[in-house]
Amino acid sequence: MANKTLRRARRYCIVGLSGALLTACGPGEPPAPPPLPVQVAAAEQRDIPLTIEMVGQTLGTQDIPIRARVDGFLEGMYFKEGRTVDKGDLLYRIDQQPFKAKVVEAQSQLAAAETRLANARSDLERIKPLAEMKAVSEQDLDGAQARFDAARAGVRAAEAAVELAEIELGYTEIYAPIDGLIGLSKAKPGEYVGKEPNPVVLNVLSDIDPIRVRFSISEREYLILARTIMADKEAAGDTTEARSAKEVENDTPLELVLADGSVFEYTGRADASAQAIDPETGTFTVEASFPNPEGFLLPGQFARVRADYSTLEDATVVPRRAITELQGRFRVMVVGTDNTVEIREVELGPVKGNDQVIESGLEPGEQVIVEGLQKVRAGMAVNPKLAQQATNRAPLQET
């Protein structure tokens, strides 16, 4: 009996202690979680250049194919491939023996023709006084004159044959027509060249300073550039008549964006263009020249040509990753001064690389969330931290 009373007393004590602890802890709700950490960026206000980009390919100012103008065995190659050569440098020599033999043959035929001419002249000089004395007939005189004229024509033909043989002999030595960069040879010494299917074009010699870039722009892009230039011209008080497409292109400084995304250090200008827009492709072809004194650019490279056509002044810009889309509407999540989230619809402008121009719906200086967008909701308290922003110079495009 005493043990049962003792166990009941212990149970009452445990229940009472548990009740006291629950009363001390308050209601049964868990403690509030800390605000969610998010990365934010401030909307910036700055001038943004509007640009158009065109894909192009580099060319030499002159790209001259080095041809074998006579056929024969290639005897020698007198340059280092992929190096610069000077105008007049010997590049190739084709076996000269057959052509020297042709020269000798032509010279011998010339000597024979000159001998025939001398005989015909002698006969004519002997017959002419006899004809005057009526010692020979007029027919004999006409025959002598004809033989002399034929012999003289034969000499001229033989002289031309000698000249042609000497020209062909000269073609066996191929010299650089310009200063420039020469490429890999398509034939090596010992190969027979000059007739298909053997190489006729042995190499290509390029003048690469300045380097040329050929690109095409759409009709719409051409109109944008042309109207912008005309507007600038009118604003400057230039009242001259409208100019040609080539002159319009010449007024626009161009940048060259290389395959690795870097911008070439020299700017260029368009210096040639098609006379019309291609009706099949709807594009306008332009060639621009860029200084290339170090020979950094080579023919055949693909590059993007960038042209500025206007500037957005005091534009509001945010990182592109801050933009979300829902059913064709664009939104940003703005962190207010009390660190709560507000969903804001915005109107978008052009895009520049990783930056997005905001036309309306956001004020400069407001903070937008750039990371953690999927975890936040309107009215949620957050712990904002400024995200590190990278500098980018990518082209601006219209949306």
Side-chain angles (χ1 to χ4, degrees), residues 290-308:
F290 291 81
N292 190 31
E294 293 85 14
F296 179 72
L297 297 181
L298 299 175
Q301 290 182 244
F302 285 92
R304 290 172 290 155
V305 179
R306 179 188 299 166
D308 294 344

Side-chain angles (χ1 to χ4, degrees), residues 4 12 14 21 38 54 59 65 118 155 172 183 205 212 241 253 260 264 271 290 299 338 349 364 387:
K4 185 182 293 185
Y12 291 155
I14 292 173
L21 289 175
V38 293
M54 296 76 65
L59 308 165
V155 169
T172 61
L205 181 60
R212 293 170 72 84
E241 295 181 357
D260 61 356
F264 189 50
D271 52 16
F290 291 81
D338 57 352

Side-chain angles (χ1 to χ4, degrees), residues 172-333:
T172 61
E173 291 185 334
I174 304 172
Y175 296 89
I178 60 170
D179 298 338
L181 181 69
I182 196 164
L184 296 172
S185 181
K186 295 180 174 60
K188 302 296 182 182
E191 293 186 55
Y192 194 87
V193 299
K195 281 187 177 179
E196 296 294 350
N198 296 322
V200 174
V201 176
L202 302 176
N203 215 316
V204 177
L205 181 60
S206 299
D207 178 6
I208 61 172
D209 184 25
I211 196 81
R212 293 170 72 84
V213 181
R214 178 177 296 172
F215 58 94
S216 295
I217 62 176
S218 67
E219 184 176 355
R220 176 175 173 273
E221 291 169 337
Y222 168 74
L223 292 174
I224 289 174
L225 291 176
R227 285 172 178 157
T228 301
I229 292 169
M230 293 304 180
D232 292 344
K233 184 182 173 188
E234 291 177 2
D238 190 346
T239 58
T240 56
E241 295 181 357
R243 297 162 297 168
S244 68
K246 180 177 178 180
E247 292 172 321
V248 169
E249 292 294 333
N250 266 328
D251 283 344
T252 308
L254 304 173
E255 288 185 329
L256 196 63
V257 183
L258 305 181
D260 61 356
S262 63
V263 178
F264 189 50
E265 59 181 312
Y266 299 102
T267 59
R269 290 187 180 273
D271 52 16
S273 64
Q275 89 285 2
I277 291 176
D278 188 337
E280 294 184 0
T281 63
T283 58
F284 182 64
T285 302
V286 182
E287 286 189 3
S289 294
F290 291 81
N292 190 31
E294 293 85 14
F296 179 72
L297 297 181
L298 299 175
Q301 290 182 244
F302 285 92
R304 290 172 290 155
V305 179
R306 179 188 299 166
D308 294 344
Y309 68 89
S310 185
T311 300
L312 287 178
E313 297 182 353
D314 298 329
T316 302
V317 180
V318 298
R320 290 180 65 183
R321 53 185 174 160
I323 309 296
T324 58
E325 182 182 2
L326 180 63
Q327 297 180 347
R329 295 184 176 183
F330 299 95
R331 308 183 306 174
V332 293
M333 294 189 176

Side-chain angles (χ1 to χ4, degrees), residues 94-105:
I94 296 172
D95 181 21
Q96 296 180 326
Q97 293 305 316
F99 300 96
K100 288 180 178 179
K102 286 183 179 181
V103 171
V104 173
E105 181 184 3

Side-chain angles (χ1 to χ4, degrees), residues 23-72:
T23 302
C25 291
E29 297 180 0
L36 180 70
V38 293
Q39 292 192 4
V40 297
E44 299 181 1
Q45 187 176 40
R46 60 177 185 263
D47 293 345
I48 300 295
L50 300 177
T51 61
I52 292 175
E53 272 198 2
M54 296 76 65
V55 177
Q57 186 175 14
T58 57
L59 308 165
T61 302
Q62 298 182 79
D63 292 317
I64 300 178
I66 306 300
R67 297 179 182 273
R69 301 181 67 176
V70 293
D71 58 288

Side-chain angles (χ1 to χ4, degrees), residues 313-376:
E313 297 182 353
D314 298 329
T316 302
V317 180
V318 298
R320 290 180 65 183
R321 53 185 174 160
I323 309 296
T324 58
E325 182 182 2
L326 180 63
Q327 297 180 347
R329 295 184 176 183
F330 299 95
R331 308 183 306 174
V332 293
M333 294 189 176
V334 181
V335 177
T337 55
D338 57 352
N339 290 346
T340 58
V341 177
E342 174 191 354
I343 298 178
R344 189 92 55 84
E345 286 193 5
V346 292
E347 296 291 333
L348 303 185
V351 175
K352 181 177 182 181
N354 293 323
D355 289 342
Q356 172 69 62
V357 174
I358 303 297
E359 292 187 348
S360 64
L362 191 67
E363 295 298 325
E366 290 189 292
Q367 292 186 336
V368 295
I369 298 176
V370 294
E371 285 191 15
L373 293 170
Q374 296 81 9
K375 302 177 182 178
V376 297

